[in-house]
Amino acid sequence: MFVTSANAALSTLAEAGDDAINPYFVGGLTLAGLLLLLAITNLLNRDR
């Protein structure tokens, strides 16, 4: 069900046609998320 609702929401945003989503904002959030995952992975993979 989540995939269907997410697909509907993304389709609605894509049909807007204007600057509904700022690509720099999305890219920044993606980069921040990946850096957070990298930090968590490094913390969990420390050699003891």
Side-chain angles (χ1 to χ4, degrees):
M1 280 307 223
F2 176 73
V3 175
T4 306
S5 62
N7 190 13
L10 289 175
S11 295
T12 304
L13 284 174
E15 290 173 359
D18 56 356
D19 295 332
I21 301 175
N22 186 355
Y24 293 109
F25 179 70
V26 174
L29 284 180
T30 304
L31 180 62
L34 289 173
L35 288 174
L36 178 65
L37 288 175
L38 180 64
I40 292 170
T41 302
N42 281 337
L43 286 175
L44 294 176
N45 279 337
R46 282 195 180 160
D47 291 333
R48 295 177 185 159

